[in-house]
Amino acid sequence: LVDMMSVPLWVPSSLLGFILTSGEELVASDFRATKKLLQSSSFFVTSSSSCRVAGIFRGNFVKSREGDAPTSEAVFENVLRRLEEDESGLRDGVQLFMMEDNEWRPEDGG
C-alpha cells in the first residue's frame, strides 16, 4: 500500500482510492514509453511528472490541418487503440485515465 503523504498534489482526489490501494509501481521505462505513445498521437505533451505509483502528462490536443481540434473522446480512443496495438507489453503495465486539468487557466485577454 502507498502512504497518503507520498502522493503528489497533482493526483486527482477521485483517483486516490485506486492509487493508495494499488500494489503496483510505475516502472520508469513504462512512464517513458507512455510519453512516447502519447507524443505519437493527437495529444501533445507539454509537461510530465511521476511518482512511485503514478504519472501525469499535461498537454494539448493537436489540431488537424483544417484547424479543428479533436474531441477528448477521439483523442482518448486514439491513445487506447495505440496502446492495444503496442507490442512491447506496455498495455499490461499501465492504466490510462484522461481528465480535465483543473490547474490550467486560460491566458488573460489583456
Side-chain angles (χ1 to χ4, degrees):
L1 295 178
V2 176
D3 174 25
M4 176 73 168
M5 298 305 290
S6 69
V7 177
L9 294 175
W10 50 255
V11 172
S13 60
S14 59
L15 295 180
L16 278 178
F18 176 77
I19 297 283
L20 294 174
T21 59
S22 174
E24 302 294 321
E25 290 195 16
L26 178 62
V27 180
S29 59
D30 285 350
F31 181 77
R32 290 188 301 273
T34 302
K35 184 175 183 177
K36 186 176 179 180
L37 179 103
L38 287 170
Q39 289 175 321
S40 67
S41 71
S42 49
F43 183 80
F44 179 75
V45 176
T46 58
S47 67
S48 61
S49 185
S50 66
C51 66
R52 190 166 58 95
V53 294
I56 186 171
F57 301 94
R58 288 190 168 98
N60 306 303
F61 297 158
V62 178
K63 293 182 179 180
S64 69
R65 291 183 182 182
E66 294 79 31
D68 299 325
T71 64
S72 55
E73 292 84 6
V75 171
F76 194 61
E77 286 175 17
N78 178 276
V79 170
L80 288 180
R81 182 181 47 77
R82 289 174 181 273
L83 183 62
E84 282 300 314
E85 292 171 355
D86 180 79
E87 296 180 3
S88 71
L90 181 62
R91 67 178 165 255
D92 298 326
V94 299
Q95 186 170 5
L96 300 177
F97 301 90
M98 180 178 273
M99 306 181 81
E100 188 170 336
D101 188 350
N102 293 323
E103 293 182 15
W104 178 83
R105 301 287 182 261
E107 292 185 29
D108 255 1

XYZ file of all heavy atoms in Angstrom:
855
model
N 0.823 -1.184 0.000
C 0.000 0.000 0.000
C 0.870 1.251 0.000
O 1.994 1.243 0.483
C -0.919 0.019 1.210
C -1.978 -1.080 1.302
C -2.765 -0.920 2.582
C -2.872 -1.123 0.112
N 0.313 2.331 -0.504
C 1.025 3.595 -0.627
C 0.663 4.503 0.540
O -0.489 4.582 0.946
C 0.659 4.285 -1.964
C 1.311 5.639 -2.078
C 1.047 3.399 -3.133
N 1.657 5.197 1.071
C 1.438 6.157 2.140
C 0.805 7.413 1.558
O 1.298 7.979 0.583
C 2.779 6.488 2.793
C 2.679 7.586 3.832
O 1.592 7.787 4.403
O 3.705 8.247 4.058
N -0.272 7.872 2.142
C -1.003 9.057 1.673
C -0.087 10.273 1.550
O -0.221 11.084 0.640
C -2.163 9.344 2.630
C -2.930 10.588 2.319
S -3.938 10.337 0.862
C -4.956 11.768 0.938
N 0.870 10.424 2.442
C 1.760 11.588 2.436
C 2.728 11.571 1.256
O 3.298 12.589 0.916
C 2.544 11.667 3.749
C 1.639 11.849 4.966
S 0.533 13.276 4.848
C 1.689 14.594 4.997
N 2.903 10.421 0.622
C 3.830 10.334 -0.505
C 3.141 10.594 -1.850
O 3.803 10.633 -2.881
C 4.502 8.960 -0.536
O 3.552 7.957 -0.869
N 1.830 10.795 -1.827
C 1.082 11.029 -3.064
C 1.162 12.517 -3.421
O 0.793 13.372 -2.613
C -0.391 10.586 -2.916
C -1.179 10.891 -4.178
C -0.465 9.103 -2.586
N 1.641 12.843 -4.621
C 1.752 14.258 -5.027
C 0.386 14.936 -5.099
O -0.644 14.288 -5.300
C 2.377 14.191 -6.417
C 2.931 12.826 -6.552
C 2.141 11.942 -5.652
N 0.390 16.251 -4.963
C -0.850 17.024 -5.009
C -1.539 16.966 -6.363
O -2.736 17.211 -6.457
C -0.570 18.488 -4.634
C -0.127 18.715 -3.195
C 0.232 20.180 -2.983
C -1.202 18.272 -2.225
N -0.801 16.619 -7.436
C -1.423 16.580 -8.755
C -2.303 15.359 -8.964
O -3.027 15.283 -9.949
C -0.397 16.708 -9.878
C 0.800 15.806 -9.837
C 2.071 16.163 -9.498
C 0.868 14.416 -10.180
N 2.915 15.091 -9.582
C 2.211 14.006 -10.005
C -0.059 13.471 -10.605
C 2.647 12.703 -10.243
C 0.363 12.171 -10.850
C 1.698 11.804 -10.677
N -2.265 14.400 -8.055
C -3.131 13.230 -8.180
C -4.555 13.650 -7.848
O -4.812 14.141 -6.745
C -2.673 12.083 -7.258
C -3.693 10.944 -7.257
C -1.298 11.581 -7.660
N -5.493 13.501 -8.797
C -6.886 13.893 -8.524
C -7.475 13.093 -7.364
O -7.209 11.897 -7.221
C -7.616 13.553 -9.828
C -6.550 13.447 -10.862
C -5.316 12.985 -10.149
N -8.255 13.752 -6.539
C -8.846 13.077 -5.385
C -9.716 11.898 -5.804
O -9.828 10.919 -5.067
C -9.648 14.068 -4.537
O -10.686 14.648 -5.306
N -10.296 11.966 -7.002
C -11.133 10.866 -7.475
C -10.328 9.591 -7.737
O -10.902 8.505 -7.820
C -11.879 11.279 -8.742
O -10.964 11.635 -9.758
N -9.020 9.700 -7.854
C -8.177 8.526 -8.098
C -7.406 8.080 -6.859
O -6.666 7.097 -6.913
C -7.186 8.812 -9.233
C -7.781 9.056 -10.608
C -6.680 9.325 -11.617
C -8.633 7.884 -11.046
N -7.559 8.794 -5.747
C -6.789 8.463 -4.544
C -7.002 7.034 -4.066
O -6.044 6.356 -3.710
C -7.103 9.442 -3.416
C -6.365 10.763 -3.464
C -6.807 11.660 -2.311
C -4.869 10.583 -3.465
N -8.228 6.574 -4.048
C -8.502 5.203 -3.605
C -7.766 4.186 -4.449
O -7.170 3.236 -3.930
N -7.768 4.388 -5.757
C -7.063 3.493 -6.670
C -5.560 3.536 -6.422
O -4.896 2.510 -6.335
C -7.383 3.894 -8.117
C -6.641 3.100 -9.143
C -7.034 1.821 -9.459
C -5.543 3.643 -9.781
C -6.345 1.077 -10.399
C -4.846 2.920 -10.723
C -5.245 1.630 -11.029
N -5.022 4.748 -6.288
C -3.581 4.936 -6.085
C -3.137 4.333 -4.757
O -2.122 3.638 -4.681
C -3.223 6.442 -6.115
C -3.535 7.053 -7.474
C -1.789 6.693 -5.689
C -2.568 6.743 -8.568
N -3.894 4.592 -3.699
C -3.492 4.155 -2.366
C -3.542 2.643 -2.190
O -2.801 2.084 -1.383
C -4.343 4.839 -1.300
C -4.151 6.347 -1.179
C -5.160 6.936 -0.203
C -2.729 6.694 -0.775
N -4.412 1.970 -2.915
C -4.540 0.523 -2.749
C -3.821 -0.272 -3.824
O -3.783 -1.498 -3.768
C -6.028 0.110 -2.735
O -6.639 0.517 -3.970
C -6.750 0.728 -1.561
N -3.248 0.406 -4.794
C -2.529 -0.279 -5.859
C -1.235 -0.868 -5.309
O -0.446 -0.181 -4.675
C -2.200 0.685 -6.997
O -1.386 0.044 -7.949
N -1.039 -2.109 -5.558
C 0.201 -2.748 -5.147
C 1.280 -2.634 -6.206
O 2.398 -3.093 -6.024
N 0.946 -2.021 -7.334
C 1.875 -1.923 -8.454
C 2.647 -0.619 -8.422
O 2.128 0.410 -8.018
C 1.107 -2.003 -9.779
C 0.293 -3.272 -9.943
C 1.165 -4.516 -10.036
O 2.231 -4.457 -10.679
O 0.776 -5.542 -9.454
N 3.896 -0.674 -8.879
C 4.695 0.531 -9.021
C 4.797 0.890 -10.496
O 4.752 0.012 -11.360
C 6.083 0.328 -8.435
C 6.056 0.226 -6.928
C 7.426 0.379 -6.305
O 8.351 0.860 -6.979
O 7.559 0.010 -5.137
N 4.929 2.167 -10.771
C 5.117 2.636 -12.137
C 6.587 2.483 -12.497
O 7.451 3.130 -11.906
C 4.684 4.103 -12.276
C 4.881 4.732 -13.642
C 4.047 4.020 -14.695
C 4.531 6.212 -13.600
N 6.855 1.604 -13.446
C 8.223 1.365 -13.897
C 8.652 2.539 -14.780
O 7.872 3.005 -15.613
C 8.289 0.033 -14.678
C 9.691 -0.258 -15.159
C 7.743 -1.107 -13.826
N 9.868 3.029 -14.585
C 10.359 4.195 -15.331
C 10.282 3.973 -16.841
O 9.912 4.878 -17.593
C 11.785 4.529 -14.909
N 10.574 2.773 -17.303
C 10.521 2.501 -18.742
C 9.081 2.569 -19.257
O 8.848 3.007 -20.388
C 11.144 1.145 -19.068
O 10.460 0.110 -18.385
N 8.101 2.182 -18.434
C 6.690 2.299 -18.823
C 6.271 3.760 -18.891
O 5.504 4.157 -19.765
C 5.780 1.543 -17.855
C 5.820 0.037 -18.048
O 6.402 -0.424 -19.059
O 5.279 -0.684 -17.198
N 6.777 4.582 -17.960
C 6.474 6.006 -17.978
C 6.998 6.637 -19.271
O 6.294 7.367 -19.956
C 7.090 6.687 -16.747
C 6.806 8.159 -16.667
C 5.566 8.616 -16.258
C 7.775 9.093 -16.993
C 5.288 9.972 -16.176
C 7.518 10.452 -16.914
C 6.265 10.891 -16.508
N 8.257 6.328 -19.624
C 8.845 6.869 -20.859
C 8.108 6.365 -22.098
O 7.845 7.120 -23.030
C 10.330 6.523 -20.934
C 11.180 7.279 -19.927
C 12.660 7.061 -20.168
N 13.060 5.648 -20.103
C 13.407 5.018 -18.991
N 13.424 5.666 -17.840
N 13.765 3.747 -19.022
N 7.755 5.094 -22.115
C 7.046 4.521 -23.259
C 5.649 5.128 -23.402
O 5.176 5.347 -24.525
C 6.959 3.001 -23.124
N 4.992 5.403 -22.289
C 3.665 6.033 -22.340
C 3.780 7.441 -22.903
O 2.975 7.854 -23.740
C 3.017 6.064 -20.946
O 2.921 4.732 -20.445
C 1.640 6.684 -20.990
N 4.790 8.174 -22.483
C 5.005 9.521 -23.019
C 5.246 9.470 -24.522
O 4.679 10.257 -25.286
C 6.184 10.188 -22.312
C 6.402 11.619 -22.744
C 7.493 12.278 -21.923
C 7.652 13.726 -22.312
N 8.670 14.397 -21.471
N 6.037 8.518 -24.961
C 6.312 8.360 -26.395
C 5.029 8.008 -27.151
O 4.765 8.537 -28.233
C 7.377 7.284 -26.602
C 7.834 7.132 -28.012
C 8.956 6.115 -28.114
C 9.397 5.964 -29.549
N 10.485 4.995 -29.681
N 4.215 7.136 -26.570
C 2.944 6.748 -27.180
C 2.023 7.958 -27.321
O 1.406 8.168 -28.366
C 2.271 5.666 -26.331
C 0.925 5.179 -26.841
C 1.107 3.830 -27.514
C -0.066 5.069 -25.712
N 1.955 8.770 -26.281
C 1.114 9.972 -26.323
C 1.628 10.958 -27.365
O 0.838 11.568 -28.099
C 1.076 10.646 -24.956
C 0.264 9.934 -23.889
C 0.509 10.567 -22.529
C -1.209 9.933 -24.230
N 2.937 11.121 -27.454
C 3.500 12.078 -28.388
C 3.289 11.669 -29.840
O 3.334 12.509 -30.723
C 4.987 12.292 -28.097
C 5.194 13.068 -26.816
C 6.648 13.205 -26.434
O 7.430 12.287 -26.590
N 6.999 14.363 -25.897
N 3.037 10.391 -30.082
C 2.785 9.943 -31.453
C 1.293 9.953 -31.774
O 0.879 9.488 -32.823
C 3.370 8.549 -31.668
O 2.662 7.598 -30.892
N 0.490 10.486 -30.864
C -0.954 10.558 -31.084
C -1.340 12.010 -31.338
O -0.500 12.837 -31.648
C -1.705 10.009 -29.860
O -1.595 10.902 -28.777
N -2.601 12.321 -31.163
C -3.077 13.689 -31.353
C -3.073 14.464 -30.029
O -3.790 15.425 -29.855
C -4.465 13.701 -31.988
O -5.327 12.833 -31.301
N -2.231 14.013 -29.097
C -2.050 14.687 -27.818
C -0.604 15.138 -27.734
O 0.323 14.340 -27.838
C -2.375 13.740 -26.662
C -2.280 14.376 -25.300
C -3.317 15.159 -24.834
C -1.167 14.192 -24.497
C -3.242 15.753 -23.571
C -1.083 14.774 -23.245
C -2.128 15.558 -22.787
N -0.391 16.444 -27.556
C 0.953 17.000 -27.462
C 1.310 17.193 -25.997
O 0.665 17.971 -25.292
C 1.024 18.335 -28.222
C 2.363 18.990 -28.151
C 3.425 18.510 -28.887
C 2.559 20.090 -27.328
C 4.673 19.105 -28.822
C 3.812 20.698 -27.249
C 4.863 20.198 -27.999
N 2.311 16.466 -25.524
C 2.729 16.536 -24.126
C 3.554 17.796 -23.909
O 4.566 18.010 -24.578
C 3.551 15.288 -23.730
C 4.056 15.409 -22.304
C 2.734 14.023 -23.907
N 3.098 18.647 -22.981
C 3.838 19.863 -22.657
C 4.627 19.723 -21.355
O 5.611 20.424 -21.161
C 2.902 21.081 -22.534
O 1.920 20.808 -21.532
C 2.217 21.376 -23.858
N 4.195 18.826 -20.471
C 4.932 18.564 -19.236
C 4.508 17.208 -18.688
O 3.443 16.695 -19.026
C 4.679 19.661 -18.197
O 3.345 19.635 -17.757
N 5.362 16.658 -17.857
C 5.046 15.368 -17.249
C 5.730 15.273 -15.898
O 6.701 15.984 -15.619
C 5.500 14.217 -18.156
O 6.899 14.266 -18.356
N 5.202 14.396 -15.070
C 5.767 14.168 -13.746
C 5.339 12.768 -13.313
O 4.353 12.231 -13.811
C 5.242 15.213 -12.757
O 5.870 15.050 -11.506
N 6.081 12.201 -12.405
C 5.701 10.874 -11.915
C 6.100 10.714 -10.460
O 6.925 11.459 -9.930
C 6.359 9.776 -12.756
O 7.760 9.797 -12.590
N 5.474 9.746 -9.842
C 5.840 9.322 -8.502
C 5.948 7.809 -8.550
O 5.893 7.215 -9.633
C 4.826 9.809 -7.462
S 3.181 9.094 -7.613
N 6.061 7.184 -7.437
C 6.291 5.737 -7.398
C 5.172 4.923 -8.053
O 5.422 3.872 -8.627
C 6.469 5.310 -5.938
C 6.952 3.909 -5.752
C 7.415 3.664 -4.333
N 6.405 3.906 -3.327
C 5.633 2.949 -2.818
N 5.761 1.718 -3.212
N 4.737 3.250 -1.901
N 3.934 5.418 -7.985
C 2.810 4.608 -8.475
C 1.997 5.265 -9.588
O 1.050 4.656 -10.089
C 1.853 4.235 -7.313
C 2.541 3.320 -6.317
C 1.303 5.468 -6.641
N 2.344 6.490 -9.972
C 1.517 7.172 -10.971
C 2.341 8.175 -11.771
O 3.407 8.598 -11.343
C 0.356 7.903 -10.290
N 1.810 8.527 -12.920
C 2.418 9.557 -13.750
C 1.341 10.473 -14.283
O 0.169 10.086 -14.368
N 1.739 11.680 -14.625
C 0.796 12.626 -15.213
C 1.446 13.229 -16.449
O 2.650 13.491 -16.470
C 0.389 13.727 -14.208
C -0.712 14.600 -14.798
C 1.584 14.557 -13.789
C -1.333 15.571 -13.799
N 0.633 13.394 -17.467
C 1.072 14.031 -18.698
C 0.101 15.159 -18.995
O -1.082 14.921 -19.204
C 1.074 13.030 -19.858
C 1.968 11.855 -19.613
C 1.468 10.692 -19.071
C 3.315 11.928 -19.910
C 2.291 9.603 -18.832
C 4.154 10.843 -19.679
C 3.643 9.677 -19.134
N 0.602 16.378 -18.973
C -0.232 17.525 -19.306
C 0.075 17.899 -20.746
O 1.191 17.740 -21.221
C 0.074 18.689 -18.377
C -0.447 18.470 -16.984
C -0.335 19.752 -16.157
N -1.079 19.633 -14.935
C -0.540 19.317 -13.765
N 0.753 19.091 -13.672
N -1.289 19.236 -12.688
N -0.934 18.437 -21.418
C -0.681 18.831 -22.794
C -1.899 19.393 -23.482
O -2.877 19.782 -22.836
N -1.823 19.395 -24.789
C -2.867 19.964 -25.632
C -3.238 18.973 -26.720
O -2.440 18.115 -27.098
C -2.349 21.241 -26.318
C -1.810 22.241 -25.336
O -2.509 22.656 -24.427
N -0.559 22.628 -25.507
N -4.440 19.161 -27.248
C -4.849 18.371 -28.395
C -4.270 19.010 -29.647
O -4.281 20.224 -29.799
C -6.364 18.313 -28.516
C -7.045 17.626 -27.348
C -8.366 17.881 -27.069
C -6.368 16.736 -26.536
C -9.015 17.252 -26.009
C -6.988 16.109 -25.475
C -8.319 16.365 -25.217
N -3.765 18.188 -30.537
C -3.181 18.684 -31.779
C -4.296 18.908 -32.787
O -5.091 18.006 -33.062
C -2.154 17.671 -32.332
C -1.578 18.159 -33.643
C -1.056 17.419 -31.309
N -4.355 20.125 -33.314
C -5.378 20.454 -34.307
C -5.061 19.796 -35.648
O -3.899 19.584 -35.983
C -5.476 21.964 -34.492
C -6.009 22.687 -33.283
C -6.140 24.166 -33.542
C -6.707 24.867 -32.313
N -6.843 26.300 -32.533
N -6.111 19.504 -36.396
C -5.930 18.955 -37.732
C -5.438 20.055 -38.669
O -5.417 21.229 -38.321
C -7.260 18.389 -38.250
O -8.170 19.451 -38.485
N -5.090 19.680 -39.860
C -4.637 20.672 -40.848
C -5.727 21.679 -41.178
O -5.454 22.798 -41.583
C -4.161 19.977 -42.113
C -2.898 19.214 -41.872
C -2.369 18.592 -43.105
N -1.174 17.840 -42.725
C -0.430 17.208 -43.551
N -0.719 17.195 -44.831
N 0.624 16.559 -43.135
N -6.958 21.261 -40.979
C -8.085 22.161 -41.229
C -8.310 23.111 -40.056
O -9.146 23.995 -40.115
C -9.378 21.363 -41.491
C -9.362 20.538 -42.769
C -8.580 19.235 -42.620
O -8.538 18.664 -41.504
O -7.985 18.809 -43.614
N -7.575 22.913 -38.980
C -7.686 23.786 -37.818
C -8.670 23.326 -36.770
O -8.918 24.027 -35.796
N -9.229 22.137 -36.946
C -10.201 21.615 -35.980
C -9.487 20.849 -34.870
O -8.623 20.014 -35.132
C -11.194 20.673 -36.672
C -11.992 21.364 -37.758
O -12.306 22.559 -37.583
O -12.288 20.723 -38.787
N -9.849 21.131 -33.639
C -9.310 20.387 -32.508
C -10.146 19.127 -32.312
O -11.371 19.182 -32.380
C -9.335 21.234 -31.251
N -9.505 17.992 -32.084
C -10.267 16.755 -31.853
C -10.966 16.803 -30.498
O -10.573 17.554 -29.608
C -9.187 15.676 -31.873
C -7.938 16.378 -31.482
C -8.071 17.786 -31.996
N -11.988 15.995 -30.337
C -12.677 15.897 -29.047
C -11.826 15.065 -28.091
O -10.973 14.282 -28.524
C -14.055 15.230 -29.192
O -13.851 13.871 -29.631
C -14.937 15.973 -30.171
N -12.056 15.232 -26.812
C -11.317 14.441 -25.834
C -11.602 12.948 -26.015
O -10.705 12.120 -25.852
C -11.658 14.882 -24.410
O -13.037 14.824 -24.177
N -12.834 12.612 -26.396
C -13.179 11.207 -26.632
C -12.375 10.638 -27.785
O -11.868 9.519 -27.705
C -14.682 11.051 -26.913
C -15.569 11.331 -25.734
C -15.889 12.822 -25.552
O -15.503 13.652 -26.417
O -16.497 13.160 -24.533
N -12.237 11.406 -28.865
C -11.482 10.937 -30.032
C -10.005 10.760 -29.694
O -9.374 9.780 -30.102
C -11.650 11.910 -31.199
N -9.455 11.688 -28.930
C -8.046 11.589 -28.537
C -7.831 10.363 -27.665
O -6.908 9.573 -27.877
C -7.582 12.866 -27.808
C -6.197 12.681 -27.204
C -7.585 14.055 -28.759
N -8.705 10.165 -26.675
C -8.547 9.032 -25.762
C -8.705 7.713 -26.505
O -7.936 6.775 -26.293
C -9.536 9.145 -24.600
C -9.213 8.229 -23.460
C -8.016 8.343 -22.772
C -10.109 7.254 -23.050
C -7.713 7.505 -21.702
C -9.820 6.416 -21.986
C -8.613 6.539 -21.317
N -9.680 7.619 -27.399
C -9.859 6.400 -28.199
C -8.627 6.116 -29.042
O -8.190 4.965 -29.164
C -11.099 6.526 -29.088
C -12.394 6.398 -28.326
C -13.621 6.646 -29.202
O -13.501 6.609 -30.443
O -14.698 6.876 -28.628
N -8.032 7.163 -29.619
C -6.826 7.012 -30.421
C -5.669 6.492 -29.569
O -4.943 5.576 -29.973
C -6.468 8.362 -31.070
C -5.205 8.304 -31.871
O -4.103 8.441 -31.327
N -5.344 8.105 -33.167
N -5.504 7.048 -28.383
C -4.433 6.623 -27.491
C -4.659 5.177 -27.037
O -3.724 4.363 -27.031
C -4.300 7.575 -26.280
C -3.358 7.013 -25.231
C -3.839 8.947 -26.743
N -5.888 4.825 -26.683
C -6.188 3.446 -26.275
C -5.941 2.458 -27.404
O -5.415 1.364 -27.181
C -7.630 3.333 -25.788
C -7.938 3.960 -24.437
C -9.409 3.779 -24.088
C -7.060 3.370 -23.344
N -6.296 2.841 -28.641
C -6.041 1.973 -29.800
C -4.544 1.752 -29.964
O -4.088 0.627 -30.165
C -6.640 2.578 -31.065
C -6.449 1.707 -32.305
C -7.037 2.321 -33.567
N -6.707 3.716 -33.768
C -5.520 4.163 -34.221
N -4.552 3.318 -34.490
N -5.304 5.453 -34.383
N -3.766 2.832 -29.862
C -2.306 2.712 -29.980
C -1.734 1.835 -28.868
O -0.812 1.056 -29.092
C -1.652 4.085 -29.945
C -1.893 4.883 -31.197
C -1.338 6.304 -31.025
N -1.568 7.098 -32.182
C -0.753 7.146 -33.237
N 0.337 6.436 -33.262
N -1.042 7.911 -34.273
N -2.295 1.952 -27.670
C -1.848 1.132 -26.550
C -2.136 -0.338 -26.817
O -1.295 -1.203 -26.565
C -2.527 1.598 -25.254
C -2.111 0.899 -23.969
C -0.628 1.126 -23.676
C -2.961 1.395 -22.810
N -3.317 -0.638 -27.337
C -3.679 -2.020 -27.658
C -2.800 -2.592 -28.769
O -2.473 -3.770 -28.762
C -5.156 -2.115 -28.060
C -6.100 -2.081 -26.890
C -5.869 -3.229 -25.912
O -5.724 -4.395 -26.351
O -5.822 -2.959 -24.711
N -2.414 -1.750 -29.724
C -1.587 -2.203 -30.853
C -0.119 -2.334 -30.470
O 0.650 -2.996 -31.168
C -1.719 -1.221 -32.030
C -3.098 -1.225 -32.651
C -3.297 -0.102 -33.664
O -2.387 0.762 -33.825
O -4.361 -0.087 -34.316
N 0.279 -1.715 -29.361
C 1.669 -1.741 -28.915
C 2.061 -3.177 -28.557
O 1.331 -3.865 -27.849
C 1.839 -0.828 -27.696
C 3.253 -0.810 -27.196
O 4.072 -0.106 -27.799
O 3.536 -1.526 -26.201
N 3.199 -3.610 -29.063
C 3.628 -4.993 -28.843
C 4.707 -5.127 -27.784
O 5.257 -6.201 -27.583
C 4.093 -5.590 -30.173
C 2.958 -5.687 -31.179
C 3.396 -6.272 -32.506
O 4.568 -6.670 -32.643
O 2.549 -6.335 -33.407
N 5.013 -4.050 -27.070
C 6.079 -4.089 -26.068
C 5.605 -4.593 -24.707
O 6.411 -4.762 -23.808
C 6.685 -2.693 -25.899
O 5.765 -1.841 -25.247
N 4.296 -4.802 -24.547
C 3.758 -5.208 -23.257
C 3.331 -4.032 -22.397
O 2.944 -4.212 -21.247
N 3.408 -2.824 -22.952
C 3.052 -1.625 -22.195
C 1.620 -1.700 -21.681
O 1.344 -1.311 -20.553
C 3.242 -0.377 -23.069
C 2.944 0.966 -22.415
C 3.879 1.201 -21.235
C 3.072 2.094 -23.428
N 0.709 -2.237 -22.480
C -0.704 -2.286 -22.070
C -0.915 -3.127 -20.815
O -1.910 -2.978 -20.120
C -1.572 -2.786 -23.217
C -1.325 -4.228 -23.586
C -2.256 -4.688 -24.705
N -1.781 -5.924 -25.266
C -1.176 -6.017 -26.446
N -0.990 -4.966 -27.186
N -0.772 -7.182 -26.891
N 0.037 -4.008 -20.506
C -0.065 -4.817 -19.295
C 0.497 -4.095 -18.070
O 0.290 -4.538 -16.948
C 0.689 -6.137 -19.474
C 0.094 -6.969 -20.598
O -1.137 -6.913 -20.797
O 0.867 -7.670 -21.281
N 1.199 -2.967 -18.288
C 1.853 -2.284 -17.183
C 1.278 -0.935 -16.811
O 1.658 -0.366 -15.796
N 0.353 -0.411 -17.632
C -0.211 0.905 -17.337
C -1.729 0.886 -17.472
O -2.290 0.057 -18.178
C 0.361 2.020 -18.263
C 1.855 2.146 -18.101
C -0.015 1.796 -19.704
N -2.352 1.790 -16.774
C -3.784 2.034 -16.908
C -3.938 3.522 -17.118
O -3.398 4.327 -16.353
C -4.542 1.584 -15.667
C -6.038 1.698 -15.835
C -6.787 1.015 -14.700
O -6.206 0.535 -13.743
N -8.089 0.984 -14.820
N -4.644 3.916 -18.183
C -4.748 5.321 -18.540
C -6.079 5.923 -18.112
O -7.122 5.281 -18.199
C -4.595 5.493 -20.055
C -3.290 5.025 -20.660
C -3.321 5.190 -22.171
C -2.125 5.791 -20.079
N -6.012 7.174 -17.671
C -7.186 7.975 -17.348
C -6.990 9.320 -18.029
O -5.895 9.869 -18.002
C -7.311 8.211 -15.835
C -7.410 6.958 -15.023
C -6.274 6.329 -14.539
C -8.647 6.412 -14.736
C -6.358 5.184 -13.785
C -8.747 5.263 -13.977
C -7.601 4.642 -13.504
N -8.027 9.858 -18.627
C -7.943 11.201 -19.198
C -8.891 12.080 -18.398
O -10.062 11.757 -18.241
C -8.335 11.221 -20.663
C -8.262 12.618 -21.265
S -8.674 12.665 -23.009
C -7.085 12.334 -23.707
N -8.333 13.178 -17.908
C -9.124 14.071 -17.074
C -8.846 15.508 -17.461
O -7.753 15.836 -17.925
C -8.759 13.867 -15.601
C -8.882 12.424 -15.153
S -8.479 12.225 -13.437
C -10.023 12.732 -12.726
N -9.829 16.355 -17.233
C -9.631 17.780 -17.434
C -8.664 18.274 -16.364
O -8.744 17.875 -15.210
C -10.960 18.514 -17.321
C -10.874 19.964 -17.703
C -12.243 20.609 -17.806
O -13.235 19.898 -18.036
O -12.308 21.827 -17.653
N -7.747 19.140 -16.762
C -6.750 19.668 -15.835
C -7.317 20.885 -15.129
O -7.465 21.943 -15.720
C -5.480 20.034 -16.600
C -4.339 20.416 -15.685
O -4.562 20.586 -14.471
O -3.214 20.538 -16.187
N -7.634 20.737 -13.859
C -8.221 21.834 -13.087
C -7.216 22.928 -12.749
O -7.603 23.992 -12.279
C -8.860 21.300 -11.808
C -10.056 20.435 -12.102
O -10.811 20.713 -13.018
N -10.218 19.368 -11.357
N -5.936 22.668 -12.947
C -4.928 23.680 -12.680
C -4.728 24.617 -13.863
O -4.148 25.673 -13.728
C -3.591 23.024 -12.322
C -3.646 22.300 -11.002
C -2.309 21.691 -10.646
O -1.290 22.046 -11.259
O -2.289 20.844 -9.748
N -5.168 24.217 -15.038
C -4.988 25.029 -16.236
C -5.892 26.252 -16.188
O -7.044 26.168 -15.800
C -5.314 24.218 -17.491
C -5.199 25.029 -18.736
C -4.047 25.284 -19.432
C -6.246 25.675 -19.443
N -4.335 26.062 -20.523
C -5.684 26.316 -20.555
C -7.619 25.805 -19.239
C -6.420 27.057 -21.457
C -8.350 26.534 -20.136
C -7.754 27.145 -21.235
N -5.352 27.375 -16.550
C -6.129 28.611 -16.599
C -5.914 29.273 -17.947
O -4.765 29.400 -18.403
C -5.669 29.594 -15.506
C -5.793 29.053 -14.099
C -7.267 28.997 -13.669
N -7.414 28.539 -12.318
C -7.722 27.284 -11.979
N -7.909 26.381 -12.883
N -7.853 26.941 -10.726
N -6.983 29.714 -18.606
C -6.796 30.405 -19.875
C -6.008 31.694 -19.661
O -6.074 32.299 -18.592
C -8.226 30.697 -20.347
C -9.080 30.540 -19.152
C -8.358 29.644 -18.179
N -5.276 32.072 -20.681
C -4.479 33.292 -20.580
C -5.396 34.497 -20.509
O -6.502 34.503 -21.016
C -3.563 33.403 -21.781
C -2.479 32.359 -21.795
C -1.505 32.562 -22.938
O -1.318 33.714 -23.350
O -0.955 31.566 -23.393
N -4.879 35.533 -19.844
C -5.605 36.791 -19.769
C -5.805 37.372 -21.152
O -4.925 37.284 -21.995
C -4.803 37.809 -18.955
C -5.358 38.025 -17.576
O -6.353 37.383 -17.201
O -4.776 38.858 -16.884
N -6.926 37.941 -21.392
C -7.198 38.583 -22.678
C -6.458 39.902 -22.844
O -6.393 40.461 -23.914
N -5.847 40.417 -21.798
C -5.224 41.717 -21.843
C -3.806 41.705 -21.757
O -2.822 41.608 -22.090
